[in-house]
Amino acid sequence: MQENHSMRLNALRILFVIIFIVYSVKLFSMQILSGDVYLTRAQDISRRTFSIPAQRGEIYDRNFSRPLVINRDSYAVSITPADISGSEIDGVIEALSEILALPSEEIMDRLPRQYLQLYQPVEIASNVSFSTIAALAERKNNLPGVSWQIKPVRNYGSAGSLSHILGYVGDITRDELTTLYNMGYQQGDVIGKAGIEKQYDHLLRGSEGRETRTVDVRGRRIAGSQNTVLAPPEMGKNLILTIDTELQTLVENALGPRIGAIVVMRPNGEILAMVSYPWYDPNIFTDGLRSEYQILVNDPNKPFLNRTIQSSYPPASTFKIVMTTGILAENVFPPEQFVLCQGMINYGNRDWHCHNRRPGHGRLNLQRGLAQSCNIYYWTVGRDYMGVDRIVSTAKEFGFGELTGIDLPGELAGFIPTPQWKERRFHERWVAGDTMTLSIGQGYTLVTPLQLANMVSMVVNNGVIYKPHILKEVRDGVTNAVEYNVTPEVLRESNISRDVFETVRRDMRNVIEAGTAQYPLNIRSVQIAGKTGTSEVGLQDRWHSWFAAYAPYNSVNDDEKIVVSVIVEAANPWEWWAPYASAVIFQGYFANQTYEEAVRTLGFQYLMPIQGRRE
């Protein structure tokens, strides 16, 4: 019994030895004798993971009737660095530089040293034409690691003045990638660079898909192999803006080729139109027109600047709306009490001139002081009765010196000077002359056109300012089902009484009926209430031309009302154009007329550059 057990154990030992010898011989043959054969075969055929680009969401106007930004197919060229040997890399880059018309340095910049052993494709060029892809295909055998794929790019149509709202996209930079890597961004991604494209990039970009392909060492697909989709791409969200494209065109034409900006909004914060001139064509970024881009960058008129939110100016006499509100709210000076304007006063060894130098405005109360935009009235009341602290406090009630929070990047906060600021900045104390300058919106006071629109909205809303916004709805990129509606959001709420704002509105209407804007804006189609302004910039024959207003004045339905804020910069020949541009906008909007029809109705068709009165 024991002998049989010993025999079986020896047999098992012999079997194990035989198996070990067989496997050892086989492994020796595979690794040593045939190692090169198997290594080549393993390298020749492999599975690679590739990304499937996602369609970026589209952008539409408020009526969902006109696409403002769509996608079109194009090609992107990539390099898989690990597929290129060290001796070949320079030659491949030189060849690509010639075919793609890209500097070698730019290609190398997209292939940092840490990427050289990477088996993932790295995009080096996008929006490549079919003819260029054909040239690459002809030289494919001499371009190891080079591949291409269809990639959607943005098409902005004839964006015109919408360019500052829409913005543009571009390839993610190394600095951006460092910041956004943890948010799912990666090398080769397209990212919003300005405007809505940047503000809502997280909604528009969608999610890339992933698939595996069987390819040879040169990245060529193996015949008969099947792609395996690991995750399908998800299209980005479609965005519906608050912009009325017909009104945008009307506003664009009303401003014309004048350096400046116009904002048209509802008192609840919806931006209906926003124009900043000069503008640019965002298609240059997808069409690769680098020479045109450099021309725009070097343009002294700064076409990339959205002047509605990124430029600030002295508000000039439009600030008298703030002063009027403060005078009434603080009860510092009876609104029916008169101030005598003789065209000039002397204070601090200096002559202070009203715009009506001779013979002056005579005796004015608050209502007539606003209507005639009398500097002497506001200098006197501001200096002797209201004081700098009350003026600053009232200005901040209107949100001056603070961001509006609009959903566009790069907004400026403007500026309201204070005695403390002057002490820190210039080491000088605040004097009464500074209060006089502040009282008429000159000096260091700065506001954006959007802030001025918010100022008028606060008067219309009896002390409430809503956060301005461009986005109206978010929709599913495939089904267009509404996923989110933007609702009005209160930005600021004042404790000033409704009676005060009612009086201010009445006085603003009087500016149109019997004041400085009587001629251009006393139109039949709608009743307007507003305020003109002319801002000094140190030039003898040029000033910034302002106008801020709302209409209809006589409507109790806030949904009918629109607010208009216009700035025409002093860089243009002086023609006091802001009130006239506003008249065209109000006429066109409320009479449902085109720019040409509104101009004819108002009798402005023969209007030469207007030599308006200064105030």
Side-chain angles (χ1 to χ4, degrees):
M1 183 73 179
Q2 185 176 3
E3 185 175 346
N4 290 337
H5 179 74
S6 177
M7 291 176 62
R8 286 197 297 269
L9 186 61
N10 289 334
L12 186 61
R13 286 172 179 168
I14 293 171
L15 179 62
F16 277 132
V17 170
I18 293 172
I19 292 172
F20 176 78
I21 292 172
V22 170
Y23 271 99
S24 296
V25 171
K26 185 64 176 177
L27 288 173
F28 179 82
S29 173
M30 291 175 62
Q31 294 183 2
I32 306 300
L33 301 179
S34 304
D36 292 339
V37 174
Y38 287 106
L39 177 61
T40 301
R41 190 176 299 173
Q43 289 177 337
D44 280 351
I45 300 178
S46 62
R47 301 283 297 176
R48 301 274 176 83
T49 300
F50 294 86
S51 63
I52 308 173
Q55 287 270 358
R56 197 169 174 86
E58 297 178 338
I59 303 175
Y60 293 81
D61 69 350
R62 70 179 293 109
N63 299 313
F64 196 42
S65 59
R66 177 186 168 188
L68 306 178
V69 184
I70 60 175
N71 301 302
R72 61 179 174 83
D73 286 337
S74 183
Y75 292 92
V77 176
S78 302
I79 289 179
T80 304
D83 284 345
I84 310 174
S85 66
S87 60
E88 294 177 309
I89 186 71
D90 290 338
V92 170
I93 290 176
E94 286 299 322
L96 285 176
S97 174
E98 177 186 345
I99 297 171
L100 299 175
L102 281 177
S104 302
E105 296 78 12
E106 188 172 330
I107 298 176
M108 283 301 300
D109 190 54
R110 294 172 182 262
L111 292 171
R113 186 173 298 276
Q114 62 267 29
Y115 286 9
L116 295 183
Q117 301 304 316
L118 191 68
Y119 275 96
Q120 294 294 328
V122 177
E123 185 177 305
I124 60 168
S126 59
N127 196 30
V128 178
S129 67
F130 178 78
S131 60
T132 302
I133 296 299
L136 287 173
E138 290 175 358
R139 300 174 63 176
K140 177 63 179 176
N141 291 335
N142 298 322
L143 296 171
V146 176
S147 59
W148 52 84
Q149 62 181 341
I150 293 176
K151 180 179 180 181
V153 296
R154 297 303 248 177
N155 186 332
Y156 297 93
S158 300
S161 62
L162 288 167
S163 59
H164 295 106
I165 298 171
L166 301 175
Y168 58 91
V169 296
D171 294 334
I172 193 168
T173 65
R174 233 184 281 182
D175 290 340
E176 289 170 334
L177 186 59
T178 301
T179 304
L180 301 173
Y181 182 78
N182 291 331
M183 297 173 63
Y185 290 84
Q186 57 187 351
Q187 180 71 28
D189 279 355
V190 170
I191 186 172
K193 300 286 186 175
I196 288 293
E197 291 276 27
K198 180 177 181 179
Q199 185 74 23
Y200 293 110
D201 187 76
H202 62 290
L203 295 175
L204 290 164
R205 66 189 299 256
S207 300
E208 284 190 340
R210 311 291 291 177
E211 69 175 359
T212 59
R213 304 173 191 167
T214 303
V215 296
D216 64 16
V217 71
R218 295 189 181 277
R220 294 175 297 197
R221 186 174 300 174
I222 301 300
S225 65
Q226 297 293 321
N227 295 347
T228 302
V229 177
L230 303 177
E234 295 182 11
M235 183 176 177
K237 305 300 182 184
N238 289 339
L239 302 186
I240 314 302
L241 306 187
T242 59
I243 297 298
D244 182 326
T245 49
E246 290 187 3
L247 179 59
Q248 181 81 12
T249 300
L250 174 67
V251 173
E252 180 179 314
N253 289 328
L255 180 61
R258 298 173 180 87
I259 298 174
I262 300 179
V263 175
V264 182
M265 64 186 286
R266 295 199 184 281
N268 67 0
E270 280 192 356
I271 303 294
L272 300 179
M274 179 178 277
V275 173
S276 174
Y277 185 86
W279 51 78
Y280 62 93
D281 182 3
N283 289 301
I284 65 173
F285 296 96
T286 54
D287 292 341
L289 303 177
R290 292 177 178 79
S291 58
E292 290 192 20
Y293 170 73
Q294 286 302 322
I295 291 173
L296 293 173
V297 167
N298 297 325
D299 189 334
N301 292 324
K302 302 184 185 307
F304 289 118
L305 189 68
N306 184 355
R307 286 169 164 80
T308 61
I309 63 171
Q310 294 176 325
S311 289
S312 54
Y313 313 84
S317 291
T318 61
F319 191 77
K320 291 169 184 173
I321 293 176
V322 175
M323 290 292 297
T324 298
T325 305
I327 291 168
L328 293 168
E330 300 287 344
N331 292 313
V332 295
F333 191 76
E336 296 305 322
Q337 186 167 329
F338 291 99
V339 171
L340 178 62
C341 171
Q342 296 179 311
M344 185 269 291
I345 58 174
N346 183 275
Y347 185 81
N349 297 319
R350 170 187 165 189
D351 290 338
W352 299 69
H353 292 279
C354 189
H355 67 87
N356 189 358
R357 296 193 178 195
R358 295 179 184 178
H361 291 111
R363 288 160 52 83
L364 306 99
N365 59 13
L366 178 58
Q367 184 184 58
R368 190 160 178 265
L370 184 67
Q372 298 302 320
S373 198
C374 178
N375 289 341
I376 288 178
Y377 180 93
Y378 287 95
W379 281 332
T380 302
V381 177
R383 180 193 64 197
D384 299 339
Y385 298 93
M386 197 165 178
V388 60
D389 291 337
R390 288 192 182 97
I391 296 174
V392 170
S393 176
T394 306
K396 290 187 175 180
E397 286 272 334
F398 281 89
F400 287 177
E402 298 179 10
L403 298 174
T404 70
I406 187 173
D407 49 348
L408 286 176
E411 182 189 10
L412 295 182
F415 185 69
I416 295 293
T418 64
Q420 297 77 15
W421 168 81
K422 186 181 179 186
E423 182 95 21
R424 290 194 305 267
R425 179 69 175 82
F426 298 107
H427 306 291
E428 297 176 358
R429 68 181 184 86
W430 189 274
V431 296
D434 295 321
T435 304
M436 293 171 67
T437 301
L438 177 61
S439 298
I440 63 168
Q442 295 285 173
Y444 299 110
T445 307
L446 297 171
V447 301
T448 65
L450 180 59
Q451 287 177 321
L452 217 57
N454 263 5
M455 175 193 73
V456 176
S457 295
M458 183 175 180
V459 174
V460 174
N461 295 329
N462 294 309
V464 177
I465 295 178
Y466 293 92
K467 180 185 288 188
H469 61 96
I470 300 285
L471 182 64
K472 182 173 182 280
E473 294 173 355
V474 178
R475 298 196 178 205
D476 182 88
V478 178
T479 67
N480 277 319
V482 177
E483 296 186 352
Y484 176 71
N485 278 305
V486 178
T487 56
E489 178 183 347
V490 173
L491 180 66
R492 322 183 54 83
E493 195 163 2
S494 173
N495 292 322
I496 298 173
S497 73
R498 296 172 65 95
D499 292 342
V500 167
F501 289 112
E502 184 177 348
T503 302
V504 175
R505 291 194 296 269
R506 182 196 66 206
D507 291 351
M508 290 170 63
R509 174 59 184 161
N510 196 51
V511 172
I512 311 300
E513 291 182 318
T516 53
Q518 183 176 8
Y519 169 66
L521 281 146
N522 203 3
I523 61 182
R524 294 181 180 179
S525 61
V526 65
Q527 290 187 4
I528 304 165
K531 183 70 188 77
T532 54
T534 306
S535 176
E536 297 181 3
V537 294
L539 301 174
Q540 291 186 352
D541 60 347
R542 296 193 181 188
W543 304 265
H544 294 324
S545 175
W546 276 110
F547 190 71
Y550 77 95
Y553 165 73
N554 56 340
S555 174
V556 295
N557 184 357
D558 288 342
D559 291 338
E560 293 180 357
K561 297 174 182 175
I562 64 169
V563 173
V564 175
S565 171
V566 182
I567 176 74
V568 178
E569 291 189 11
N572 305 279
W574 172 243
E575 53 181 347
W576 200 53
W577 188 250
Y580 290 90
S582 301
V584 172
I585 294 167
F586 283 120
Q587 174 67 30
Y589 182 79
F590 287 102
N592 194 26
Q593 294 178 336
T594 65
Y595 168 75
E596 293 77 12
E597 291 168 342
V599 167
R600 284 196 299 270
T601 301
L602 295 171
F604 291 173
Q605 67 268 36
Y606 303 114
L607 196 62
M608 300 300 290
I610 303 160
Q611 298 301 320
R613 53 189 287 184
R614 288 194 302 124
E615 52 170 77

